[in-house]
Amino acid sequence: MIDIPGTPGTLTGLVLRVSQCVFAAASISYMVTSGGFFSYTSFCYLIAAMGLQVIWSLGLAILDTFALARKKTLVSPVLISLFVVGDWVTATLSLAGASSSAGITVLYFGDLGSCTFEAECWSYG
């Protein structure tokens, strides 16, 4: 079988999963450090979606590490289907959260022209 970069059980796949986990955690930490985001549902949804992304990516990174340590390949059709569906769900949730957060930001800054958070307004403007 052809070794495609990024497939489960390869070093490239492990690097991609760890980077997904790190970037999702960075997104969560940035949102949590800004004040007042809990009052907007779209931002809370983005945090929940990124939390799910961290859990999913960390779980698959552990599975990749186990496969690399045991020198096993993860090419079972059932496993690949599970990875595809899981990645599809987390990608869809992340896209929906990012889109709704961007929509709220555009609504407040562009359309309404007002922002109730003085310090946070200038960091997005």
Side-chain angles (χ1 to χ4, degrees):
M1 183 173 165
I2 300 172
D3 187 28
I4 301 172
T7 56
T10 62
L11 184 61
T12 310
L14 177 64
V15 169
L16 289 172
R17 293 298 176 182
V18 169
S19 63
Q20 276 182 339
C21 188
V22 166
F23 285 119
S27 174
I28 290 171
S29 65
Y30 185 76
M31 289 292 292
V32 168
T33 57
S34 66
F37 78 94
F38 284 114
S39 58
Y40 300 104
T41 307
S42 63
F43 294 130
C44 292
Y45 177 75
L46 179 61
I47 292 298
M50 289 297 110
L52 181 65
Q53 182 69 46
V54 166
I55 293 168
W56 176 254
S57 297
L58 185 63
L60 290 183
I62 291 170
L63 186 64
D64 281 344
T65 304
F66 180 74
L68 284 171
R70 299 282 183 169
K71 295 187 181 1
K72 300 277 184 181
T73 58
L74 301 174
V75 292
S76 168
V78 174
L79 279 176
I80 298 295
S81 298
L82 177 70
F83 296 155
V84 167
V85 170
D87 284 340
W88 176 75
V89 167
T90 56
T92 303
L93 291 175
S94 299
L95 177 64
S99 298
S100 65
S101 297
I104 291 297
T105 304
V106 167
L107 174 70
Y108 283 128
F109 295 126
D111 298 338
L112 299 179
S114 64
C115 181
T116 58
F117 307 115
E118 287 295 324
E120 282 83 14
C121 287
W122 292 107
S123 65
Y124 296 116

